[in-house]
Amino acid sequence: MNHKYLSSHVSLALFTTLIMGAAQADDDDWDGFYIGANLGYGWADADTRFTSLSGAYGHSPYYAPEKIDPDPNGILGGAQAGYNWQIKRWVLGLETDFSFADINGNNTTLGTSSYSDGYTAPVALSTEERINSFGTLRARLGMVAFEDFLVYATGGWAYGDVNYSANTDYTATGSGKQSYPAHSFSESKSGWTVGGGLEYGLLESLSLRAEYLYLDLGDTRAIANPEIPNPSYHYQKQYDWETRANIARVGFNYFFDI
């Protein structure tokens, strides 16, 4: 058979399939309220910057390195609910979700403390970040590619509960080996999210989905002012954490009006 002839027939068949899929998509109904559940995995960018402030006795130490990343990662799971409006092949929706998470990471790096008077000493820098939970409120815009497949983009507001911890131990590698308490706290964060996904209508009222979200929960700053007993003086340390996360998850939705 002539290759040009075969190619034209294949192209015509694919074009016909797309047209039929579009026609069927007009009849398919993604309208209505739905609820569902999801399970997934998250990995975060949690760069922590260590900035030295002047100490009570005029010490002005600097450190190398000045930034480390605890590389948080872990599992997550939760539920979602939303509503869709379909206009022919286009689907506009509003969705909210909430997930519990164990996206946690920590890192400790040995460095050098260099003072303005020329004195140098080893120092241990440590940081930890944990995302305990997060949620979103998002708009969705999708297109029904075929009768049972919905491809969509999504974006909106994100929030989360995050634990932060950091410490600068001046004597961890010295002879005294004193251990100073880490500066730790929890904070409710607010930011934005964007992503996309694919949803498949498995049954009349049930769909399966795969989704990716990027979360930006902003930056957090804290200043620690611990006392070093030997020699005795206070120092100030500024910690800056980034909180960015990648979320990949799968789930299902049950439609009440589909």
Side-chain angles (χ1 to χ4, degrees):
M1 180 180 291
N2 186 281
H3 290 288
K4 183 180 295 186
Y5 180 78
L6 177 61
S7 176
S8 63
H9 276 68
V10 171
S11 300
L12 179 61
L14 290 174
F15 179 75
T16 303
T17 301
L18 287 172
I19 294 299
M20 293 177 62
Q24 292 174 338
D26 290 344
D27 297 330
D28 196 22
D29 188 6
W30 289 83
D31 278 338
F33 175 73
Y34 62 88
I35 60 173
N38 65 78
L39 183 67
Y41 182 80
W43 63 101
D45 180 7
D47 284 347
T48 307
R49 182 172 295 277
F50 294 72
T51 304
S52 302
L53 306 178
S54 297
Y57 291 95
H59 294 268
S60 299
Y62 300 91
Y63 304 97
E66 294 184 340
K67 184 174 71 173
I68 58 177
D69 190 348
D71 293 324
N73 61 86
I75 61 173
L76 56 99
Q80 67 273 352
Y83 196 93
N84 288 333
W85 296 267
Q86 182 173 356
I87 304 174
K88 294 187 177 181
R89 297 183 63 190
W90 297 98
V91 177
L92 178 64
L94 185 65
E95 180 174 297
T96 184
D97 66 84
F98 182 82
S99 294
F100 291 101
D102 185 19
I103 304 175
N104 180 48
N106 58 79
N107 191 6
T108 298
T109 299
L110 298 181
T112 300
S113 174
S114 178
Y115 293 82
S116 57
D117 59 6
Y119 174 74
T120 61
V123 61
L125 309 177
S126 60
T127 181
E128 181 176 4
E129 184 173 310
R130 178 193 297 270
I131 300 177
N132 301 306
S133 62
F134 68 91
T136 72
L137 177 61
R138 296 172 284 110
R140 295 203 311 163
L141 177 60
M143 183 183 71
V144 184
F146 294 97
E147 180 180 3
D148 297 321
F149 283 94
L150 175 67
V151 181
Y152 64 89
T154 183
W157 176 54
Y159 61 93
D161 176 62
V162 187
N163 290 344
Y164 300 95
S165 178
N167 190 31
T168 303
D169 194 341
Y170 289 87
T171 58
T173 58
S175 58
K177 298 186 182 302
Q178 292 98 331
S179 179
Y180 305 111
H183 192 79
S184 302
F185 62 97
S186 296
E187 189 169 290
S188 296
K189 301 292 295 177
S190 180
W192 56 270
T193 182
V194 67
L198 174 66
E199 195 161 352
Y200 172 65
L202 182 64
L203 300 172
E204 182 178 355
S205 299
L206 186 68
S207 69
L208 301 178
R209 69 155 58 168
E211 184 177 65
Y212 167 81
L213 293 178
Y214 176 80
L215 272 66
D216 188 333
L217 296 179
D219 300 335
T220 297
R221 172 174 293 180
I223 296 178
N225 188 25
E227 180 181 354
I228 295 179
N230 185 25
S232 178
Y233 69 91
H234 286 80
Y235 72 90
Q236 284 188 310
K237 191 70 176 180
Q238 179 176 296
Y239 303 119
D240 292 275
W241 293 268
E242 294 180 351
T243 309
R244 320 278 190 265
N246 300 277
I247 305 299
R249 57 190 182 184
V250 295
F252 69 89
N253 286 325
Y254 177 81
F255 285 77
F256 289 91
D257 299 321
I258 197 167

